[in-house]
Amino acid sequence: MKNALGREIPDRIGDRTLRPFQGAFATTPTGRKAARPQKTVRPGENKVLRSIEEAIEATGLKSGMTISFHHSFRNGDYLVNMVVDACARMGIGDLRLFPTALFPIHAPLIEHIKAGVVTRIEGSMNGPVGAFVSKGGALKQPAVLRSHGGRWRAIEAGDVHIDVAFIAAPQADPYGNATGIKGKTPCGPISFSTVDAQYADKTVVVTNDLAPYPVHPFEIQQGWTDYVVVVDEIGDPESIASGTLRITRSPTRLRIARLAAAAVKASGYLKDGFSFQGGAGGISLAATKFVGEEMEKEGIVGSFAMGGGTKLLVDILHRGLVRTILDGQAFDLDAIASLREDENHVLMDPGHYANYDSRGCSTYMLDAAFLGATEVDLDFNVNVNTHSDGQLLHGIGGHQEVAAGAKLTLITVPTLRGRLPVIVDRVTTVTTPGEVIDAIVTERGIAVNPRREDLRERFVAAGLPVRELAEIKKEADRLTRPPRKPIFGDEVIALIEWRDGTVIDTVRKVIGWK
Amino acid sequence: MPKETIVGSENKGDCRVRLTPADSLAIEIHTSNPDLFAPGIEAVVTETLAGLGVTQAKVEITEQGSLDYVIAARVEAAARTLFPDLPPLRPQVARSPSDRDRLRRTRLYAPGNNPRLLVGIELHGADCVLLDLEDSVPPAEKHAARVLVKHLLATVDFLEVWVRINPLATYGTDDLGEVMLARPHGICLPKAESAEDVKGLADELSRLETELGFEEGSTMIMPIIETGKGVLHAEEIATADPRVAVIAFGAEDYTRDVGAKRTQESLLFPRSQIVAAAATAGIQASDTVYANLEDEEGLIAETRHIRDLGFTGKGVINPRQIGPIHSVFSPSPEEIAAAERIVAAAAEAEKQGIGAIAIGGKMIDKPVLERARRTLRLAGKIKEGVE
């Protein structure tokens, strides 16, 4: 069947009937949320176990089950490998891995996939695991990629049932309260896994810093936690949270950021109470800085900014340019410190900011957002998942929810990355549909979605270089011969879900080149 | 014949081409993603070699995200080094003409042999771009640089583009022979010290224009004055030839030449001399670059200072300096209003056939009218861009 964007979607994959994407806000959820089994813990019971193996035994984890993880340790995470290694040693296989995201550090999983220890993955795959899975034939069922809010929704809706949630915690107490913003190796919020902790049959908190009761803020709560495991090392601090992220120095990228900030100013949304989402990518970081400078100049006080948290955003809060930061992730140590110390820097989970099946999302309160893309097409569809050669590259992150929510969604991209054109006739994979994108900001000008004639008029009136997307594309295309395009076969490597659980696109195996 | 030649680098945005003699044509491509890029790169290499008439060579190319014109330039430079008798490629160029009196608040320098820094150089909103073959290019790279600049000139639409060649006594003649094939709007002559220097360049340009079928006199000249002698001869340099549209000041070399420290005081004499020379010739004066990229306040202060001295523009070494300089040169709303009144009065006077223009009984001189017109042009220009 074809979905609303004309993308071919299979009717069924394995045990799952697929629903095609119908439009950004087309579906309405029915039914009730899923739930975990009831349980009680009586006074005096001990939750602390000595090892991962002990936890695997205690939880009753068996072959064929689903285990989940969060990605807040990013490329410094040791836990995924520790747990899957232990399962392999204990003869447990056929596992469905349900992480929020995998990173290059998880490359050892490739051997476990080959050996049948892991047979399914539902989660973002950045790096070697994605490249391996892209080759096809590796997994029993296609991978499933979900946005932050989409993953949350899938758990609540019972689309994905987690048997055991393993939660890496920078600090926890023996009773199962845990936080990501304290401890020996803080990683920022671990709130991505609060839904895992509440819906999994069993929840295991793993920490390298067991602190006296009560550890707070309790992002993970005692009432959700079955077991606590203490390990010597839980991650590589160098790769968990970075020092201060640097703003791009590339003149092209700075120009894009300046144009994006000028677009925000021209849009009419930049006034008292303004809210925005600042990313951690080079261009969005710079755009955030320029918007902050504009607010300072005009004496505008914003209502809130959304992260991932960075030093830059913290500075904007401390200069009084916004009243609040809402953070689901923190990318540098300054942002983590601010979460500990500043009551206006608020921890937030994806259920709060991004869940389609909920009574409200923070992203719906956003005025403006800067988002990236690997490709953009002439229908304003955006790809962040695959490279132009068809390989799985990145997860969705919060891209869909921010784009769907913000009044002004700007995609900030250079027209060329080396020899690779970013603006294409048709994106390799649709992550986010053009209907929720307002404008594409490039170094060669700004293309406004025809749905936003109002914006186009404002931009033109402000003297911004507004151009047709096709014209920008043509200018960039003059600089390189077109790269070849992959020819896709029938085998589906991955499903890309829209945030409501419908399938917006599939990633298929590359079988040749044209 | 040399055994092999290597041109370019493996830096981002560039490619390294290694050429060796062979019995037939063999092309070997190393790229980050051969599935995507190898056929396109091969097509560029093949076409470039075919254009040059090379049929026997082994080409090894290692590229790091280089655009087609960079690849073509590297291949051409390598081929002409290996086979020195090959004539240069003459690219198709559709250059829209530029107005010699147009605004030049900023002239953005770009090093002629660094592809990464040349990508998108035309997009930053500078009033003109200046591709440099002189100070930023080491002697060993002069040949590769002038070929690269030629291909860039042929590929990109510039509002206005100049090439700073080397002095004619060193590499300048070869620079001209190459870059004129792609018809820049103007040639920037460094270390200009006399009318003869300018006339020498003008003669060479006339010869090339005739040879290439361009209108004679259509290429502008911007002498850069950067020695004590040049400063003393500023007037003869500015008036040496009708091609001269701008004279520019180079403070770094000047202070070295005269043994001065760079201060506002030490530069006051050369700057004033250059502005006066430009006024005598009826052309524009453009100030030296401000080297400290991090110091935006200093840049703005210096730009105000040189604007008040009479300069109409300034050199720029990084695109981020463009915005601050343009804002200094932007007239205030009051200045615009005053200028509008003057121009309107002039129009009225002309309509009534009166020679003298007056506002509120006060006579308006011709230079005042000219300045008012210039203010309005500045204002109109600034409305078009975001910088």
Side-chain angles (χ1 to χ4, degrees):
Chain A
M1 61 186 159
K2 279 201 162 49
N3 70 13
L5 297 173
R7 300 272 163 161
E8 187 61 42
I9 309 294
D11 296 333
R12 290 187 68 78
I13 291 276
D15 54 2
R16 184 175 164 195
T17 305
L18 303 184
R19 291 187 296 144
F21 172 77
Q22 295 163 43
F25 291 98
T27 67
T28 305
T30 54
R32 290 181 172 273
K33 289 184 178 177
R36 67 194 319 204
Q38 284 288 18
K39 177 178 175 180
T40 190
V41 166
R42 298 195 170 78
E45 281 187 33
N46 172 47
K47 293 186 184 180
V48 179
L49 304 178
R50 278 169 303 185
S51 67
I52 300 282
E53 282 84 351
E54 226 174 75
I56 290 171
E57 270 177 28
T59 55
L61 177 56
K62 293 190 177 51
S63 292
M65 284 188 168
T66 298
I67 54 177
S68 81
F69 303 89
H70 69 68
H71 73 278
S72 296
F73 282 49
R74 293 172 271 267
N75 199 35
D77 173 70
Y78 292 165
L79 186 62
V80 172
N81 292 338
M82 268 161 39
V83 170
V84 179
D85 285 349
C87 287
R89 279 197 302 274
M90 296 166 76
I92 299 169
D94 191 24
L95 290 168
R96 174 164 65 160
L97 226 54
F98 186 56
T100 50
L102 297 175
F103 284 85
I105 195 169
H106 302 120
L109 286 176
I110 292 172
E111 291 309 311
H112 291 307
I113 295 171
K114 287 181 185 162
V117 178
V118 173
T119 55
R120 295 169 67 181
I121 297 177
E122 300 193 12
S124 303
M125 285 170 273
N126 308 305
V129 177
F132 177 71
V133 168
S134 300
K135 288 191 193 124
L139 300 174
K140 216 161 70 176
Q141 278 192 23
V144 182
L145 270 59
R146 296 182 177 89
S147 64
H148 290 163
R151 182 180 184 276
W152 189 285
R153 190 211 61 83
I155 296 169
E156 281 190 352
D159 290 2
V160 179
H161 174 75
I162 303 167
D163 293 291
V164 186
F166 290 92
I167 298 171
Q171 190 171 73
D173 66 37
Y175 212 41
N177 297 297
T179 181
I181 62 175
K182 294 179 182 170
K184 296 174 193 159
T185 52
C187 66
I190 53 173
S191 53
F192 277 67
S193 52
T194 56
V195 68
D196 304 43
Q198 294 175 80
Y199 283 79
D201 281 1
K202 295 286 162 58
T203 295
V204 180
V205 166
V206 184
T207 188
N208 62 336
D209 189 358
L210 191 72
Y213 183 88
V215 158
H216 61 88
F218 19 83
E219 295 182 73
I220 303 297
Q221 301 186 20
Q222 60 201 19
W224 309 336
T225 305
D226 292 272
Y227 303 107
V228 177
V229 176
V230 185
V231 294
D232 294 338
E233 282 186 309
I234 192 157
D236 171 14
E238 295 286 306
S239 308
I240 295 173
S242 60
T244 305
L245 296 169
R246 288 191 53 172
I247 287 179
T248 178
R249 296 184 69 84
S250 145
T252 301
R253 280 152 202 267
L254 283 171
R255 171 169 167 80
I256 296 167
R258 275 187 208 285
L259 283 176
V264 169
K265 186 182 176 192
S267 70
Y269 297 120
L270 191 63
K271 51 190 181 217
D272 274 329
F274 174 70
S275 60
F276 66 98
Q277 199 263 349
I283 298 176
S284 14
L285 218 51
T288 303
K289 175 173 177 272
F290 296 143
V291 166
E293 285 170 4
E294 188 61 33
M295 291 170 78
E296 196 150 42
K297 205 171 86 191
E298 302 287 324
I300 291 166
V301 178
S303 52
F304 74 99
M306 271 174 60
T310 56
K311 177 178 193 303
L312 189 81
L313 223 48
V314 171
D315 288 345
I316 283 176
L317 176 70
H318 291 169
R319 267 149 58 205
L321 301 176
V322 292
R323 291 196 299 271
T324 314
I325 300 178
L326 299 177
D327 248 350
Q329 303 188 69
F331 292 117
D332 60 33
L333 295 167
D334 288 88
I336 297 171
S338 166
L339 274 164
R340 277 195 303 270
E341 291 154 14
D342 192 331
E343 63 168 1
N344 293 315
H345 192 164
V346 182
L347 280 165
M348 170 180 74
D349 63 41
H352 189 84
Y353 88 80
N355 184 8
Y356 186 87
D357 293 359
S358 80
R359 277 124 174 117
C361 297
S362 315
T363 63
Y364 299 175
M365 304 301 285
L366 280 173
D367 288 322
F370 313 108
L371 296 172
T374 56
E375 294 174 332
V376 179
D377 70 24
L378 296 181
D379 297 323
F380 288 75
N381 295 319
V382 176
N383 173 17
V384 302
N385 291 122
T386 53
H387 190 251
S388 301
D389 63 4
Q391 303 276 309
L392 283 172
L393 197 70
H394 293 301
I396 299 170
H399 201 281
Q400 295 177 342
E401 6 275 350
V402 171
K407 295 185 186 75
L408 176 69
T409 300
L410 301 175
I411 303 295
T412 53
V413 282
T415 54
L416 291 160
R417 291 192 175 98
R419 288 186 61 79
L420 193 67
V422 173
I423 302 169
V424 295
D425 289 321
R426 186 180 149 90
V427 287
T428 310
T429 308
V430 187
T431 308
T432 302
E435 66 172 292
V436 296
I437 304 300
D438 298 300
I440 316 290
V441 184
T442 76
E443 76 280 17
R444 295 174 196 278
I446 304 177
V448 182
N449 192 325
R451 293 161 179 268
R452 292 301 307 268
E453 191 49 41
D454 60 318
L455 262 188
R456 186 191 161 82
E457 281 167 15
R458 282 173 176 274
F459 288 177
V460 169
L464 293 176
V466 174
R467 303 179 66 189
E468 294 302 316
L469 195 51
E471 195 187 311
I472 295 175
K473 175 182 189 299
K474 205 169 131 194
E475 192 176 287
D477 285 351
R478 275 178 45 204
L479 298 172
T480 60
R481 303 293 150 115
R484 287 198 298 184
K485 289 189 171 59
I487 300 170
F488 295 102
D490 291 332
E491 186 188 341
V492 176
I493 299 294
L495 300 177
I496 312 292
E497 280 192 8
W498 178 241
R499 51 196 298 263
D500 64 357
T502 60
V503 179
I504 192 162
D505 209 349
T506 59
V507 179
R508 289 169 196 260
K509 185 181 171 177
V510 176
I511 55 169
W513 298 92
K514 62 187 173 204
Chain B
M1 188 189 291
K3 273 216 238 357
E4 65 162 32
T5 170
I6 294 175
V7 173
S9 75
E10 290 187 30
N11 297 333
K12 240 178 163 177
D14 201 354
C15 65
R16 198 182 57 134
V17 173
R18 181 167 174 269
L19 211 65
T20 42
D23 295 334
S24 60
L25 198 59
I27 301 171
E28 193 180 305
I29 295 164
H30 305 278
T31 170
S32 60
N33 197 324
D35 290 331
L36 289 180
F37 302 134
I41 294 167
E42 187 172 335
V44 179
V45 175
T46 311
E47 277 173 32
T48 308
L49 291 175
L52 288 161
V54 174
T55 52
Q56 292 180 313
K58 183 177 180 218
V59 186
E60 263 180 270
I61 173 162
T62 309
E63 78 86 34
Q64 301 288 346
S66 46
L67 300 175
D68 285 359
Y69 78 82
V70 176
I71 295 171
R74 295 326 195 185
V75 170
E76 183 187 347
R80 282 168 52 201
T81 309
L82 195 66
F83 311 111
D85 295 339
L86 288 176
L89 287 175
R90 183 173 177 188
Q92 293 278 330
V93 181
R95 177 92 50 227
S96 35
S98 178
D99 173 6
R100 56 176 277 137
D101 294 325
R102 71 191 291 279
L103 278 175
R104 295 186 189 89
R105 296 164 297 182
T106 42
R107 57 175 209 280
L108 173 61
Y109 282 88
N113 201 32
N114 190 331
R116 190 171 61 82
L117 298 181
L118 293 172
V119 173
I121 195 73
E122 75 283 12
L123 300 172
H124 298 293
D127 289 330
C128 57
V129 169
L130 206 152
L131 305 171
D132 182 33
L133 296 175
E134 196 214 7
D135 283 350
S136 61
V137 179
E141 293 179 21
K142 296 286 185 197
H143 174 59
R146 59 175 81 102
V147 177
L148 180 64
V149 163
K150 175 184 75 177
H151 281 268
L152 170 62
L153 284 169
T155 306
V156 169
D157 287 331
F158 289 94
L159 224 51
E160 184 174 284
V161 63
W162 299 70
V163 177
R164 179 165 77 173
I165 59 169
N166 292 278
L168 292 179
T170 61
Y171 308 94
T173 311
D174 286 344
D175 293 341
L176 273 186
E178 193 76 37
V179 301
M180 281 300 286
L181 291 166
R183 201 173 192 183
H185 291 110
I187 298 294
C188 201
L189 181 70
K191 304 196 176 56
E193 294 195 313
S194 66
E196 280 64 50
D197 288 348
V198 175
K199 284 178 183 149
L201 172 59
D203 290 347
E204 191 61 20
L205 284 174
S206 292
R207 189 181 68 75
L208 286 165
E209 284 165 346
T210 309
E211 192 183 304
L212 296 167
F214 304 151
E215 186 194 333
E216 199 187 329
S218 57
T219 312
M220 295 181 285
I221 293 178
M222 181 194 308
I224 310 186
I225 293 182
E226 41 192 346
T227 59
K229 184 176 170 189
V231 169
L232 290 178
H233 293 170
E235 184 189 344
E236 66 166 73
I237 291 168
T239 54
D241 191 278
R243 292 172 186 270
V244 179
V246 191
I247 43 172
F249 178 41
E252 292 309 319
D253 284 305
Y254 169 79
T255 48
R256 204 175 309 131
D257 184 53
V258 304
K261 196 176 159 200
R262 181 170 172 161
T263 63
Q264 243 180 49
E265 291 74 25
S266 70
L267 298 187
L268 184 58
F269 169 68
R271 279 174 166 157
S272 302
Q273 176 95 349
I274 286 166
V275 168
T280 306
I283 59 172
Q284 299 177 358
S286 189
D287 190 43
T288 188
V289 299
Y290 190 76
N292 186 351
L293 265 188
E294 305 303 324
D295 180 12
E296 191 176 310
E297 273 176 35
L299 170 69
I300 289 172
E302 181 167 290
T303 307
R304 287 200 180 116
H305 169 70
I306 61 104
R307 175 198 63 189
D308 295 348
L309 286 179
F311 282 96
T312 52
K314 190 162 176 59
V316 166
I317 48 168
N318 184 295
R320 76 164 107 149
Q321 296 183 318
I322 294 169
I325 294 178
H326 285 192
S327 67
V328 170
F329 278 104
S330 299
S332 67
E334 296 77 40
E335 287 169 321
I336 294 170
E340 277 170 343
R341 280 196 300 276
I342 293 167
V343 172
E348 184 59 30
E350 194 176 350
K351 210 168 87 187
Q352 297 185 6
I354 312 168
I357 313 160
I359 292 180
K362 199 179 155 202
M363 298 303 282
I364 303 296
D365 301 342
K366 202 167 169 246
V368 176
L369 176 61
E370 281 310 308
R371 202 182 310 142
R373 287 199 170 121
R374 196 184 128 65
T375 302
L376 291 185
R377 267 201 302 150
L378 275 165
K381 170 71 192 173
I382 287 154
K383 275 183 201 147
E384 287 163 28
V386 292
E387 269 79 25

